[in-house]
Structures are given as C-alpha cells and as structure tokens.
Amino acid sequence: VYEVINWCEYNTIDDAYVIPRDADGDNILDMDTTVLYVNPFGPGLEDDVAFLDRDVNRNNFNGIGPVDTGDGGILPGTDVGGYGVDGSRGAYNYTQFIKIYDDTPPTLVLTDSTDFCSFDGVNCDADVSLDFSIGDDCSPASVNATVELDAFINPGADGVYTLADFVADGGNVTDAVTNNGDGSFTINLPNIPIGRHALRIRATDGCGNTAVQILEFEVADCKAPTPICINGLTVTLMPDGDGGGMADIWVSDFIASPSADCSGPVKFAIYTNDFVLDQGAGFVPNPLDTGLILTCDSDETTMIRIYAIDAMGQFDYCLTTLLVQENTPGICSGGGSFNDLAGVIMTEAAGTVPGVNVAISGNMSASTTTNVQGIYNFSGLETGEDYTVTPEFDSYEHHLQGVSTFDLVLISKHILGIDDLTSAYSLLAADANADENVSVQDIIAIRRLILGLDLAYTSSPAWMFVDADFDFPVVANPWATSFPEVFSVNNINQNVLNADFVAIMVGNVDGNGMANLNGESEGRGGDNIIIEDVWIRPAVTTTITVAYEGGFQGTLALSAGVEVIDVIANDA
C-alpha cells in the first residue's frame, strides 16, 4: 500500500482518498495507467481540484474525471469547488499487487550409475537402493518426485540411453521413494532381476515446474556356480608303447550333478591340485580344459580340482581324490611285457561301452572285460606268435536295452523310402532277424521283444562288433562284403594298442541305447520327453523346444505367471 501525504495540507484526522486500481472501470487491470493530478484553478482553496488521468500528460485531461471511483461515483470532496475544503485534502492511499512468477525448473541431481550384486542363485535378483536430490530456490520445501521403472534396457551402439528410449515396462514405483526432508530422496526397490535397468525421475517444485532425468543401474550376477564332485574314482594306466603307462580322464567323469547359474549354462574344467597351486593366486580356469592325461609320474592318490565356470567368467571349484593304478603290475617299473594288445570299444557316436567280455585266443587263452572307459588290455603276449581278439556282449537283459517304438518308426520310414538309414552301422542294427536285409520281419522281431513275447532275438545276438578300421565298400548295403568281427595280429613283435571295435546294439537304430545300458527296456511307456533349458524373463516371449520320441499324451503344468501363447508342431 502506498500512502502519499502532503503534510502542509492534510489534517491527519480524516481518511485519505483511495485511488482505485481500476480507474476506468473496465475490470482490466493489466493495461491501466493511472496518474493523480492536483491543480489549483483559482486563488482560493475551494477552487482546487484533484483528478485522475490515463497518461502522464496533464494538459490533455485524458478523461477519467475528478477522482473517479470507476463505478460512476465521485470520491467525497473531490468535485470542483469542494476539494479545497475537504478534511482528506492532501492524503491518498493506493494498493499495488506484485505477482512473482517462478518458471525455473528445480535442479535434479542423480547418483552416478551404479551396479548391484545378486548373490541369489535361485531367484537371480537383488535389492536396489539409489539416492537423488532436488534443489529449488523458490520453494525448496514443496519439491516432490515421481519415479517409473523400465523393466530392462538395451542402449544403442553408442551405449547412451536417453529419455526418448524409455518405456515404463516396470511401472510407477513412486511408493518406493522416501523423502529425507532435506531435499534428498532414497529409492528402495526389492527383488530387481539381473540385467540393466533405468529409472525415469520427474522432480516437481511448488510452482509446478518439472525436471526429468534418467538414472541407469545394473543388477549383476555375482555368485559363482558351485560344482559337486564325485569322490573316490579309480583310473587304470594302460601301456603307452614306450615302456610306461598312461590314462585319460575327463571332467564329466567327476560331475555329481549339474550346476545351475543365473548367467546361463555352466562349463567345467579339470586340473590336478598341484598344477593349480604352481600357477599361483591369479590362476583362472579355462573351460576348454576338459581332460587330463595321467602317467606313471602321477601320484597314486592324485588330488583333482573340478572348476565350474559361468558365462560371466566367475568360477568356483571342488576337490576330489583319484586313485591311479597300473593295469598290469610292472608297467611303470619297466617290468611288463613289451607285447601288449589293447583297444577301446565304442559306439558309432563315440560312446564307450563298459562290461564287454573280450576273449583272446592263439598262443594263450584268456578273457577280460572293458572298463568304464570301454578299454580292454592283454599283457605278456609272446613275441612272434599269432593272436585273435573276439568281443561278446550277449544276454537276455542286453536284448531288452535301448530298444523303443521310435526305432520301429525309423525302420518303417526306411522301408517306405520316406527317410533312408544312411549309416552302415544303423542298417546292421535294424537287421534284427540277421537275414542281411531290412524288412518288415525286422520290425516284427523288435516289436515282439518290446511286447515281452520274446526274451531275446531268435536269430541275432544283442550286440555286434566290427573292427573300427574297416571301411564298408557299399555303405547302403553293409552285407555286400564280409566285415571283420574280430581283430587278429600275426607274428606280434611290439605293443598293439589300436585293436578297437565299433559296438552295434541290435534293434537300437537311433543310437540312444547307451543311456539305458544298465536299465530295463523302454517298452511302450519308456520314451523320454526332452525339454531344453531356457532362461525366461518378464514381459519377453520365449520359444521352448519340446521333443518326444514316439508320441505323447498328457498334461503340462506351468508355473504361476507363465502363459502358453501358441503350440507349433514340427514333424521333422
């Protein structure tokens, strides 16, 4: 409020004149210019006049009139002839309103991009806590914020993630924001899954101005996979042809159970404990190191380290013991016979076959069985003599192993010319009645075995063995020429370590019989459903391949939150 007083005229008692804000009475204040003029027109006080003008030119008397109230009235005492004697002469009040506008957005300060660790190998998530602050010069006590979570982000090639890229897949998480009362705020987000994320933070001040920024963060898998070792295995050293012994071992032999990990499939590596200790504290395992060669220099009890390595390169290990022994006493001391005859028995798919009875004839008669690596060995063979090795693997239970209705399907497709069997070994396996031809009679023989009508093939052994070095002249007709089912050596004068055989399980055309080598026939209900391991993420459509050998009827149960969108058949 402005008070203008002429102390030479004002009597200090009566109320001052009130100068109206809307002098022209149009209810529009923004463009009004009001100027008060007080003029003495005559020689006496009663001739003085006070009036309002719309501009600063007092000579044009721009038509508002003597102290006009704007509503048609005249302020008391301001009419001509009355101003000079009015008791309010010389005093005026004017009220001015000053509006202050704030159009400057608040200052939003974010913490640096932060990584968080998940040590939860099951749920693969972590709790996240982030800070930011809001500053404002005009209304610091009235600032607030809304926060939205982007479920997962994938910045462009330049690695920059902008506001334009943001899609609030994760929803509004403002309820997770705590106002600390000093302009700082804390966001506490529980159970955020592994991956890169972003928050869109919108800061607002008391005048409605806003500032928006993106806060990126990542939840990383910080838990290394934990391997579980099989303890107490034994490996047998075989003659190496140079007067010593050797054996191969593989990391898969020591894995008791698979290791789950949030970053995907786990790979394994194997080392002797002494080797790792020699490398020092900075040793990093290599997933390509999946095997070891043991020799006579190896300790009888060797400590083995099995490493589990995830896709992030994180790793952990377990320790186990391995007993190293000689196949024949004296191999490592040089006392063994130079003339050894040894080999390995494997399937066409390189699966070793343990427990095969192998007989040797000639200057000596003896028999042995293949070990878990499918290896057999005969020592002490007299130089200059002839020897023949014959493998055999045949009993009622062996006829039942590995045969399924899927084998019948493959044979049927071959007979009908829909899908030919292209391997000589699979053709031999399909010839279940041993008539050197693949026909419906073979299907009947296998079906009788599956249905339990026969305990064994009437015309064929459970297994056949072919010298691994033999090449079939006509692959599509393996019976076109005779093939060796024994291994012979004449006039032996050195170690023979390559007397290898390919094992053929009769009736097992698809080659999966090794999985049931120690089990029962699959029969009608023994086929397996095969489902690949897939990492499912929120709001992402994932394709899962489900394979079944033979046919399937049943129900699939899904976990909560998982929905089947479509099922697509693939007869291939």
Side-chain angles (χ1 to χ4, degrees):
V1 176
Y2 291 92
E3 294 182 342
V4 180
I5 299 175
N6 183 348
W7 292 107
C8 295
E9 296 182 328
Y10 182 42
N11 65 9
T12 72
I13 297 175
D14 294 289
D15 293 333
Y17 292 127
V18 176
I19 307 302
R21 290 178 48 78
D22 188 10
D24 56 3
D26 61 0
N27 293 319
I28 301 175
L29 303 180
D30 291 343
M31 303 302 294
D32 283 356
T33 299
T34 303
V35 180
L36 172 66
Y37 291 111
V38 180
N39 290 327
F41 286 121
L45 295 177
E46 67 280 1
D47 297 325
D48 293 349
V49 65
F51 66 92
L52 300 176
D53 199 355
R54 289 179 178 171
D55 56 34
V56 295
N57 185 355
R58 69 181 65 190
N59 295 320
N60 66 0
F61 189 70
N62 191 8
I64 298 179
V67 194
D68 191 346
T69 62
D71 58 2
I74 302 297
L75 289 177
T78 62
D79 54 323
V80 177
Y83 172 78
V85 297
D86 192 289
S88 298
R89 175 190 176 93
Y92 309 92
N93 283 348
Y94 178 74
T95 301
Q96 180 182 14
F97 291 92
I98 300 175
K99 293 184 178 180
I100 301 175
Y101 295 93
D102 174 18
D103 56 4
T104 302
T107 302
L108 179 57
V109 180
L110 307 179
T111 57
D112 293 335
S113 181
T114 306
D115 291 344
F116 297 89
C117 274
S118 171
F119 295 97
D120 187 337
V122 177
N123 297 316
C124 303
D125 57 22
D127 295 340
V128 171
S129 180
L130 296 162
D131 297 311
F132 65 93
S133 62
I134 303 175
D136 190 72
D137 293 334
C138 293
S139 55
S142 302
V143 294
N144 59 74
T146 57
V147 181
E148 295 171 294
L149 175 63
D150 187 358
F152 289 95
I153 63 172
N154 293 292
D158 57 358
V160 177
Y161 189 75
T162 66
L163 285 170
D165 301 320
F166 189 91
V167 178
D169 294 335
N172 192 307
V173 292
T174 303
D175 290 343
V177 179
T178 300
N179 189 335
N180 300 320
D182 58 356
S184 66
F185 297 79
T186 301
I187 311 172
N188 292 300
L189 302 172
N191 307 323
I192 300 300
I194 288 174
R196 300 189 69 242
H197 305 268
L199 291 170
R200 179 167 59 189
I201 302 175
R202 185 185 303 273
T204 306
D205 63 16
C207 294
N209 300 301
T210 61
V212 182
Q213 289 196 42
I214 290 291
L215 174 56
E216 297 183 46
F217 66 94
E218 182 170 359
V219 177
D221 176 14
C222 297
K223 184 181 185 301
T226 302
I228 302 176
C229 291
I230 298 174
N231 195 38
L233 294 180
T234 300
V235 65
T236 302
L237 298 178
M238 307 298 293
D240 61 5
D242 294 323
M246 64 172 292
D248 295 334
I249 60 172
W250 304 97
V251 67
S252 56
D253 299 332
F254 294 86
I255 304 301
S257 62
S259 297
D261 188 80
C262 295
S263 296
V266 176
K267 297 183 179 181
F268 297 92
I270 183 172
Y271 304 93
T272 63
N273 190 52
D274 290 342
F275 172 82
V276 176
L277 295 177
D278 290 343
Q279 302 306 304
F283 174 74
V284 176
N286 188 332
L288 298 178
D289 295 335
T290 57
L292 283 178
I293 297 177
L294 300 174
T295 67
C296 291
D297 294 331
S298 302
D299 295 334
E300 183 176 355
T301 300
T302 300
M303 294 295 296
I304 299 293
R305 285 200 191 199
I306 303 298
Y307 281 88
I309 311 164
D310 68 11
M312 304 294 293
Q314 301 174 117
F315 56 85
D316 198 357
Y317 70 90
C318 58
L319 277 172
T320 184
T321 58
L322 177 67
L323 178 62
V324 182
Q325 62 183 18
E326 300 175 354
N327 173 265
T328 301
I331 288 180
C332 290
S333 62
S337 171
F338 181 77
N339 297 324
D340 285 1
L341 195 155
V344 62
I345 298 180
M346 299 184 297
T347 64
E348 182 183 10
T352 58
V353 186
V356 177
N357 183 69
V358 184
I360 188 170
S361 60
N363 191 51
M364 66 175 290
S365 297
S367 65
T368 186
T369 57
T370 55
N371 61 15
V372 293
Q373 286 88 26
I375 298 172
Y376 71 91
N377 182 70
F378 294 102
S379 299
L381 305 186
E382 187 175 345
T383 300
E385 297 294 334
D386 301 334
Y387 297 93
T388 298
V389 172
T390 305
E392 183 183 26
F393 202 31
D394 192 47
S395 64
Y396 285 139
E397 62 269 21
H398 294 157
H399 286 258
L400 297 173
Q401 290 166 348
V403 180
S404 72
T405 53
F406 186 58
D407 297 306
L408 299 180
V409 172
L410 295 178
I411 296 174
S412 299
K413 288 185 176 181
H414 175 80
I415 294 173
L416 296 173
I418 298 174
D419 191 2
D420 291 338
L421 299 175
T422 58
S423 164
Y425 299 112
S426 62
L427 288 168
L428 291 174
D431 185 19
N433 67 349
D435 65 352
E436 299 186 355
N437 181 43
V438 178
S439 67
V440 175
Q441 299 302 318
D442 299 307
I443 294 177
I444 294 173
I446 297 173
R447 189 182 301 277
R448 290 181 62 85
L449 201 68
I450 293 174
L451 295 175
L453 301 177
D454 293 331
L455 296 179
Y457 299 118
T458 58
S459 304
S460 175
W463 289 78
M464 298 176 63
F465 301 91
V466 179
D467 186 340
D469 289 334
F470 179 74
D471 292 325
F472 289 91
V474 183
V475 175
N477 183 13
W479 307 280
T481 183
S482 60
F483 48 85
E485 299 183 77
V486 298
F487 183 92
S488 297
V489 57
N490 297 321
N491 192 27
I492 190 170
N493 59 9
Q494 61 179 358
N495 289 341
V496 178
L497 305 178
N498 61 343
D500 303 331
F501 290 90
V502 176
I504 305 165
M505 184 184 297
V506 177
N508 178 226
V509 180
D510 64 352
N512 70 347
M514 289 304 299
N516 286 329
L517 186 57
N518 295 316
E520 297 297 331
S521 171
E522 294 179 10
R524 287 182 170 181
D527 293 338
N528 295 322
I529 297 176
I530 303 170
I531 302 178
E532 61 179 330
D533 292 331
V534 175
W535 181 252
I536 299 178
R537 291 185 169 178
V540 176
T541 301
T542 303
T543 300
I544 303 176
T545 301
V546 179
Y548 189 85
E549 298 178 352
F552 170 72
Q553 179 177 347
T555 302
L556 294 177
L558 303 177
S559 300
V562 180
E563 177 186 0
V564 175
I565 297 176
D566 195 8
V567 177
I568 302 173
N570 184 359
D571 295 333

